[in-house]
Amino acid sequence: MQANGNANQRIARISDHLNPNYPKMEGSSGLQQVSCRAKGGAPGFKVAILGAAGGIGQPLAMLMKMNPLVSVLHLYDVVNSPGVTADISHMDTGAVVRGFLGQSQLEDALIGMDLVIIPAGVPRKPGMTRDDLFNINAGIVKTLCEGITKCCPNAIVNLISNPVNSTVPIAAEVFKKAGTYDPKRLLGVTMLDVVRANTFVAEVMGLDPREVDVPVVGGHAGVTILPLLSQVKPPCSFTPEETDYLTSRIQNGGTEVVEAKAGAGSATLSMAYAAVKFADACLQGLRGDASVIQCAFVASQVTELPFFASKVRLGRTGIDEIYPLGPLNEYERVGLEKAKKELAESIQKGVSFIKK
C-alpha cells in the first residue's frame, strides 16, 4: 500500500504541474493535487508569459523553459494553454511549468512573478499596418496590465504586443491609474530591431553577427526604427547606398517576413528569439550582474517625447540607467526628426485610449 501511495503522490505532483487549478473530477481515483516543485529544480526567477499559446508565445515558452535563470514558468492564454503546457513540461530542464487558461485564471498566473512577458494579441497579416492592430491589441494589453497591478505590481514587464509605440503608453496609464507605476519596470521590447540590424550589417560587411552591435533607437514601427549605423561595433563605414539599404531593410524587416509567409503569419520565430534574448538580459539584471545593456522602448528624457527607445542598463529593479543617443551624423539626425513626428502620434494614441 505504501508503494501505491507514493506512486499516487507522484502522479498528483505531475498533474499539479500541468493544471494547478483544475478541479477534482467526480469518480476519480482519489488523487489530490499537491503544491510542488520539481525535485532538483534550479533556483531562479518566476516568469509568466501572457499569450503563451500564440505564434510568438509557443517558441518563447520553449526557449524560456531552457533558461537556467528561470525556476518557475507560468503559461497563460485564453485558448490552448493546457496543451502547450503539457508539451513544454516534458522538457528535462529545471524550470517548473504551470498552465493557466482563460480570464478567470489570469490572477493565479501572475501572483508572485518576478518577470512578466506579454506577447498576447493578434499578429500582423499582409497589408495590415501596426495601427490596424491597435483596437484589438490595446484592449488585450489593458486587461492584462490590470491583472499585473493586482497580483505582481513589482514585476518587471516586457511588452511585446504591437503596436509597441502605443501599447507601452497604454500599460503606463493603466499602472498610473492603479497607483503602481514604476517607469523603471516597464520595457517595450524592441530587441528584434537590434537582432535584425546586427544580422543585416554582418551580411553586408562579411562579419559574424554575434560580434556586431548596432544601437537601434526611436520606436518599433517603420520610420520610428532608427539604426545608428555610425555607432556600429566593430566600427564600420558604409556608402550612402549601403546606409539607405540597411536602414530601409531594418525598418521594414517585419513586412519582409509577413510577405514571405504569404498570409501564413508574421515574424514569430525571430521575435521569440529576440524576446528571450531581452528577457535573459532582464533576469541577469535582476540577479545583479554588472553592465547588462540593451535597447528598449521606455519612459525617457533622452528626447522631448515621454517614451523613446535607446540603450538602457538593467539592474535589480529594472532600468538602472538610460543612455543618451551619442553623436549622430546628418543622415541619422534627419531620420530622428521623422521618427519623433510619427512616434509622438503613436504615444498619444495609447495615452488617449485609457483616458478617453
Side-chain angles (χ1 to χ4, degrees):
M1 291 297 292
Q2 180 66 34
N4 188 52
N6 289 342
N8 285 349
Q9 284 300 307
R10 288 197 297 274
I11 294 169
R13 288 191 178 97
I14 293 169
S15 175
D16 183 54
H17 284 208
L18 301 181
N19 295 292
N21 299 305
Y22 197 78
K24 182 180 174 183
M25 294 186 295
E26 280 189 38
S28 71
S29 62
L31 296 179
Q32 294 184 359
Q33 294 171 4
V34 295
S35 179
C36 65
R37 276 295 314 274
K39 189 174 182 179
F45 298 100
K46 297 178 180 179
V47 178
I49 299 174
L50 309 184
I56 296 169
Q58 290 196 40
L60 171 57
M62 182 186 73
L63 292 169
M64 290 305 292
K65 176 73 165 78
M66 297 166 65
N67 191 311
L69 295 180
V70 179
S71 61
V72 174
L73 183 62
H74 283 189
L75 306 181
Y76 168 85
D77 214 318
V78 293
V79 293
N80 301 330
S81 54
V84 175
T85 303
D87 197 355
I88 288 176
S89 72
H90 293 182
M91 295 168 61
D92 59 349
T93 62
V96 174
V97 184
R98 298 188 178 103
F100 301 84
L101 178 65
Q103 182 69 32
S104 64
Q105 294 190 358
L106 175 60
E107 293 187 9
D108 290 333
L110 289 169
I111 292 171
M113 294 296 103
D114 300 303
L115 173 66
V116 179
I117 309 171
I118 308 179
V122 298
R124 289 177 69 195
K125 296 177 182 176
M128 182 185 285
T129 67
R130 282 185 167 84
D131 278 345
D132 294 332
L133 301 176
F134 179 82
N135 287 331
I136 299 173
N137 288 356
I140 293 171
V141 168
K142 176 177 179 287
T143 298
L144 297 176
C145 288
E146 286 169 348
I148 291 170
T149 65
K150 296 176 185 176
C151 303
C152 54
N154 294 320
I156 307 297
V157 178
N158 287 181
L159 190 48
I160 299 169
S161 306
N162 276 317
V164 167
N165 295 351
S166 298
T167 55
V168 170
I170 286 172
E173 291 301 318
V174 171
F175 296 153
K176 287 176 186 176
K177 204 169 181 180
T180 64
Y181 180 51
D182 182 350
K184 296 186 296 182
R185 298 179 185 271
L186 174 61
L187 303 101
V189 179
T190 61
M191 192 74 198
L192 182 53
D193 302 323
V194 176
V195 165
R196 285 174 174 149
N198 293 345
T199 301
F200 301 159
V201 166
E203 288 176 358
V204 168
M205 303 307 294
L207 300 170
D208 183 336
R210 293 169 295 182
E211 304 300 323
V212 177
D213 180 24
V214 184
V216 182
V217 303
H220 184 56
V223 298
T224 71
I225 300 168
L226 181 62
L228 301 183
L229 298 175
S230 67
Q231 298 180 25
V232 171
K233 293 179 182 177
C236 301
S237 59
F238 303 97
T239 66
E241 293 76 18
E242 287 171 336
T243 299
D244 278 335
Y245 164 77
L246 286 167
T247 301
S248 176
R249 192 174 179 204
I250 293 163
Q251 290 177 339
N252 296 293
T255 301
E256 180 179 319
V257 175
V258 168
E259 291 177 352
K261 289 191 174 182
S266 58
T268 53
L269 302 176
S270 54
M271 182 65 249
Y273 165 80
V276 168
K277 191 172 182 179
F278 187 74
D280 185 61
C282 290
L283 294 177
Q284 291 176 37
L286 283 172
R287 185 173 63 179
D289 292 13
S291 301
V292 182
I293 299 170
Q294 295 292 353
C295 292
F297 185 65
V298 299
S300 171
Q301 295 181 335
V302 166
T303 70
E304 66 274 19
L305 299 174
F307 296 91
F308 198 81
S310 63
K311 283 196 169 185
V312 301
R313 179 165 55 84
L314 301 166
R316 292 188 184 277
T317 58
I319 301 166
D320 276 353
E321 184 177 1
I322 300 174
Y323 293 97
L325 297 182
L328 307 183
N329 61 29
E330 181 60 25
Y331 186 93
E332 291 160 352
R333 285 193 289 271
V334 171
L336 177 61
E337 293 310 309
K338 290 180 183 176
K340 287 195 294 185
K341 182 178 179 182
E342 183 170 315
L343 197 49
E345 296 173 1
S346 298
I347 292 169
Q348 186 53 49
K349 190 172 185 178
V351 172
S352 299
F353 178 79
I354 299 299
K355 292 189 172 180
K356 67 183 179 184

